[in-house]
Amino acid sequence: MDLFTFTECANQTHSLRALFELLVSCATEEGFSEVAYGALNFVEPLRLAEYPPPTVAVKWPPDWCDRYFKRKYHTIDPVVRRTPMLSRPFLWDQLADHYQLQPDERRVLDEAREAGLKHGMSVPLFGPLGRVSVVSFASASDDADPQDRIGHLNALAWQFHTAYGDIARPCNDGCERKVALSQREISCLRWVAEGKSSWETGMILEISENTVNFHIKNAMRKLGATSRIQAIVMAMRLNVL
């Protein structure tokens, strides 16, 4: 399922559980059937998980869920610990390569792999007031390649996170946000959403790469986004794209 289709389905979903099931279904199509969503430095008031914070919603093997929370692994999980320091999606295997993990942190990753959470990746999600959330994906298959799917899973995570917030914290009547993007800003965002680089977008629109970047930065500023993918997701949610 592509991002536009996911957005259309998410816009028609008014249940937190149905939205999470939609994310799991899409991730499973990509080969990553194990999914977790957590709020790391605040308590999300509406949670689907029967487990304590930071988990908001989770689809893991039941035995691993029980072990993870009974042993309070979330207090030593390197994904939970490192996510607030990372601005981009990351592979779990990279944590051991880039950081000097403690023995207990390595144990969590090793046991997760043995429990069927292989080739994991996580997407840091930053919101207002310094809030940090994360969506994690893992595969039960030895052949899964998260690096190959990281871009699409990143986009799905941001779209899910934004839609979840809309459902969990709905606006009062009359507070719907209005954002006026120029036609050129919309065109640039649309082509970037299709996976085009700034250079490729410039070739299509017959403008320079710097001009593309200028329009995208303007769109990000108007939308209050901190990244291109967040700007695309927000524009989709506002029916601008």
Side-chain angles (χ1 to χ4, degrees):
M1 182 182 297
D2 61 33
L3 184 59
F4 288 97
T5 304
F6 181 87
T7 301
E8 290 178 359
C9 293
N11 285 341
Q12 298 171 14
T13 301
H14 305 290
S15 159
L16 298 177
R17 187 171 300 280
L19 182 64
F20 183 66
E21 290 174 352
L22 176 64
L23 176 66
V24 171
S25 175
C26 291
T28 300
E29 290 180 8
E30 301 295 323
F32 294 83
S33 58
E34 309 306 319
V35 184
Y37 175 54
L40 300 187
N41 60 353
F42 68 102
V43 177
E44 177 63 69
L46 296 178
R47 300 186 303 113
L48 300 180
E50 298 176 357
Y51 303 97
T55 307
V56 176
V58 62
K59 190 271 177 183
W60 282 344
D63 290 346
W64 174 242
C65 277
D66 291 341
R67 187 194 319 174
Y68 187 93
F69 291 105
K70 283 180 180 178
R71 299 184 181 182
K72 298 183 179 180
Y73 277 176
H74 58 284
T75 63
I76 58 173
D77 187 341
V79 172
V80 174
R81 286 179 170 180
R82 298 304 193 286
T83 291
M85 299 182 288
L86 300 171
S87 60
R88 297 177 180 274
F90 60 91
L91 308 185
W92 295 356
D93 291 342
Q94 292 176 339
L95 291 176
D97 296 335
H98 296 166
Y99 297 94
Q100 189 172 356
L101 298 184
Q102 300 298 317
D104 55 355
E105 293 179 313
R106 290 181 178 274
R107 186 176 75 251
V108 172
L109 292 180
D110 290 342
E111 290 187 18
R113 194 176 298 110
E114 293 172 1
L117 279 73
K118 306 171 184 177
H119 304 295
M121 64 155 289
S122 295
V123 180
L125 304 161
F126 297 94
L129 305 177
R131 290 177 173 176
V132 182
S133 302
V134 62
V135 174
S136 292
F137 304 93
S139 175
S141 171
D142 291 324
D143 300 326
D145 183 3
Q147 187 65 60
D148 182 57
R149 309 308 302 157
I150 196 168
H152 189 54
L153 292 174
N154 177 37
L156 286 178
W158 270 106
Q159 182 59 271
F160 165 81
H161 177 63
T162 303
Y164 195 102
D166 289 347
I167 296 174
R169 295 175 292 279
C171 285
N172 296 323
D173 291 342
C175 75
E176 184 177 353
R177 187 179 175 193
K178 302 294 184 182
V179 176
L181 298 183
S182 70
Q183 189 57 51
R184 187 63 87 185
E185 290 163 354
I186 293 172
S187 297
C188 290
L189 282 179
R190 183 170 288 125
W191 282 112
V192 171
E194 293 288 346
K196 303 298 183 183
S197 67
S198 293
W199 181 83
E200 291 171 322
T201 299
M203 293 295 291
I204 293 169
L205 298 178
E206 298 183 343
I207 57 178
S208 72
E209 181 178 0
N210 286 339
T211 301
V212 172
N213 290 333
F214 171 79
H215 288 305
I216 291 176
K217 287 180 180 178
N218 274 347
M220 289 171 57
R221 175 180 54 79
K222 292 178 181 179
L223 291 163
T226 58
S227 67
R228 291 186 173 199
I229 187 62
Q230 186 181 11
I232 291 166
V233 166
M234 294 175 73
M236 287 180 175
R237 294 292 296 172
L238 294 170
N239 293 318
V240 175
L241 288 186

